Amino acid sequence: MTTRWADVNAIYQIYPRSFMDSNADGVGDLRGVIEKLDYFKGSPGSLGIDAIWFSPIYSSPMADFGYDVSDYRDIHPLFGTLDDFRDLIKKAHQLHIKVMLDFVPNHSSDEHPWFVESKSSRDNPKRDYYTWADPKADGSLPNNWLSIFGGSAWQWDETSGQYYLHTFLKEQPDLNWENPAVRKEMQDILHFWFELGVDGIRADAVRWMSKDVHMRDDPRNPGFVTGPHADEFGKLIHVHSRFGPKLFDYLREMTDVVEEYPGRIMIFEDYPDDVFTTRDQYLGFYGVNPKVSMPFNFEGIGTPFNAESYRRFITEFQGMLNQEEHMPVYTFGNHDQSRLVSRVGEEQARVVAMMQFALPGLPVIYYGDELGMKDGKIKKSELQDPVELRKPGLGQGRDPERTPMQWDTSQYAGFSTVKPWLPVTSTASTHNAIAERSDDDSYFTLYQQLLGLRRRYRIFREGDYETFGEADKNVYVFSRRFGEEHIFVVLNMSKKSQNFELPHNGRILASAHPARPPRFKADGTLKLKPFDAVIVECSKHQLKEPRIVRL
Ligand code: NOJ
């Protein structure tokens, strides 16, 4: 029996370079993931995960570590072969694990044969696969659009005497989605991967797929403050270079392909943006095709850790969704963001995990967060990320959150037998899979328990969300209801102990410290230590096991 996406307990993001190296070259690979599938499911010590997604594994010159694709239908030899990937899907499916792929529609590599042809001459049939423009009459750039990774978004091409557009690196030219042939190519590629058996797609950087066809300048940002740490990208308000009028139509064309294959989904990568209200932005993306697609919710990544801020953003977001139709995808970390523990703190990260797994929808976790992995310290000589190399000093480099997975206490944390592409972090001796599996109060044990609850009880995935204790500055409480079942989630987000009284007492189902849950006092109050959290089942509305217990 295949699991419905609505029943998936969580998605686990694998950064393939850093998960497991099976062939001793210092870089992770698909065989490594296959060796570790029982980490996810199938053995008593498994974490218990229903789905995994891979950051790009396609052929690529690796200018942006795979987000520069040179063949959308093949696997980079560093990671293995298509047969390895087929084998991985087969074995994952045997364990009832769904497999998702990253898909990069906005840009290809400059080594992709399309671009090689496109730049060969102005009249090449593939010229319009990308966006080319002449300089202005005065010889200046076609417009003021900026690249996120620094400098202008335009790169001069000597051979054909025009500029091409690149929102990211110059090695990542933007595909021209105005061209129906490009759209058809991308749809064919989606067919290819769905035929091969992938269960879902994470669609990268989608906001840039549609741009102003008149290529008007982006207006200046009056709020921009210059200074040594200012990111020049903030100089403009990016209203013309992205979120163009055709964006949702193009996404719809992609989701039409998804819909052809039963049980598949597509999740759009998009961050909150000042140009829109969050409501317009989210509902725009949900409006594309809510049967099979939804945006990530990344608001938690930028929200300060306190009860009021979390309550506000989550309650607003839940309030704008139609529960029957819209699947929330709460995400608190990924390969572009400082690690959860490093952002919010060690104890606070446990509270975020409690919150994330008790919220509705489809949570996404980033590899290693289940071990409480921290950002690594990367020396100048070890830098890998092109962003840090191009914009040094802004602290935007993404190497710290991409360090090798911490499996055990051996020299390279069990990730590899040779020096890995990025150094192992200093916490690997304590925060590793072996040590944490046998520690009944570790992050791993906490995640394992929460994932188990999510799998067993539909209330976690599908119950209604309601806030409780609205004005409390320290404790964020929400409840979930599903038919006759009712749970409370009580999150002490302050550094002081807090007494809390629920309308009913009941059984504590989970605690931020699984080995030392708090207890209800005789008067029905609950004392929560600083940054402690509990999930409580109401005694009058107990949870029922579903009839079918899946693997
Ligand atoms: C977003 C990805 O998450 C990031 O890693 C990448 O550099 C850009 N898109 C460009 O593809």
Side-chain angles (χ1 to χ4, degrees), residues 196-498:
L196 207 121
V198 306
D199 301 286
I201 293 287
R202 175 261 189 196
D204 180 72
V206 290
R207 57 172 64 182
W208 281 278
M209 287 163 59
S210 170
K211 294 144 181 131
D212 177 29
V213 284
H214 308 295
M215 299 209 284
R216 282 170 288 184
D217 276 352
D218 277 332
R220 303 222 141 256
N221 176 3
F224 181 67
V225 184
T226 46
H229 301 296
D231 182 355
E232 293 286 290
F233 191 69
K235 272 195 325 206
L236 303 179
I237 303 179
H238 307 271
V239 281
H240 296 311
S241 51
R242 58 192 201 183
F243 288 120
K246 304 270 193 56
L247 174 58
F248 296 132
D249 297 339
Y250 297 157
L251 294 179
R252 176 69 202 212
E253 287 179 12
M254 296 207 300
T255 61
D256 283 348
V257 178
V258 181
E259 223 184 326
E260 285 179 42
Y261 296 84
R264 318 293 168 97
I265 58 164
M266 177 173 277
I267 308 182
F268 305 124
E269 187 217 14
D270 203 59
Y271 284 82
D273 191 287
D274 287 350
V275 172
F276 299 99
T277 63
T278 40
R279 187 183 175 84
D280 285 349
Q281 197 173 343
Y282 283 125
L283 294 186
F285 281 103
Y286 276 109
V288 171
N289 188 347
K291 275 188 273 176
V292 296
S293 65
M294 60 281 311
F296 283 98
N297 182 315
F298 288 136
E299 271 175 275
I301 290 175
T303 300
F305 182 90
N306 65 65
E308 285 177 306
S309 303
Y310 278 115
R311 180 190 300 116
R312 190 178 321 116
F313 104 74
I314 291 167
T315 308
E316 261 177 41
F317 179 63
Q318 285 300 138
M320 67 180 84
L321 301 186
N322 169 349
Q323 224 196 301
E324 303 300 310
E325 245 195 335
H326 300 150
M327 169 95 82
V329 184
Y330 289 104
T331 305
F332 292 85
N334 63 40
H335 62 292
D336 296 327
Q337 306 294 339
S338 178
R339 285 231 174 235
L340 179 62
V341 165
S342 302
R343 247 183 298 126
V344 300
E346 293 194 10
E347 290 301 309
Q348 294 90 325
R350 289 175 180 259
V351 180
V352 171
M354 293 281 287
M355 177 177 77
Q356 183 184 21
F357 292 126
L359 283 169
L362 195 50
V364 181
I365 59 174
Y366 184 49
Y367 87 94
D369 279 355
E370 79 283 10
L371 302 175
M373 267 175 72
K374 276 193 178 155
D375 284 348
K377 290 203 173 40
I378 313 291
K379 295 191 201 120
K380 249 192 173 159
S381 58
E382 295 164 335
L383 280 181
Q384 299 284 343
D385 184 19
V387 172
E388 186 62 33
L389 294 166
R390 285 195 62 175
K391 290 183 170 180
L394 290 185
Q396 290 178 345
R398 301 165 296 179
D399 294 328
E401 59 266 22
R402 298 176 177 181
T403 60
M405 174 69 173
Q406 296 167 186
W407 295 105
D408 58 36
T409 53
S410 61
Q411 189 182 10
Y412 299 119
F415 163 75
S416 179
T417 51
V418 301
K419 193 166 178 240
W421 74 290
L422 280 174
V424 169
T425 77
S426 57
T427 58
S429 55
T430 47
H431 291 69
N432 63 71
I434 295 283
E436 292 203 26
R437 246 187 217 151
S438 52
D439 172 354
D440 61 3
D441 204 38
S442 66
Y443 290 92
F444 181 92
T445 303
L446 172 65
Y447 273 71
Q448 193 185 41
Q449 288 189 359
L450 292 169
L451 288 162
L453 286 174
R454 265 195 99 74
R455 163 129 19 80
R456 271 164 57 208
Y457 299 114
R458 279 177 73 181
I459 187 170
F460 281 89
R461 306 185 304 269
E462 294 173 52
D464 290 344
Y465 164 94
E466 257 170 43
T467 35
F468 187 80
E470 293 295 316
D472 199 311
K473 284 195 167 52
N474 301 309
V475 187
Y476 169 28
V477 187
F478 60 90
S479 77
R480 308 285 312 276
R481 266 180 207 278
F482 185 71
E484 288 299 298
E485 303 175 7
H486 196 190
I487 56 173
F488 281 99
V489 182
V490 188
L491 309 157
N492 179 4
M493 297 193 157
S494 79
K495 51 179 190 263
K496 294 205 176 115
S497 295
Q498 303 289 337

Side-chain angles (χ1 to χ4, degrees), residues 31 34 37 82-92:
R31 288 270 142 220
I34 294 174
L37 279 176
L82 261 182
D83 278 338
D84 292 332
F85 188 61
R86 285 194 185 95
D87 195 29
L88 189 150
I89 294 195
K90 193 174 108 205
K91 294 195 164 119

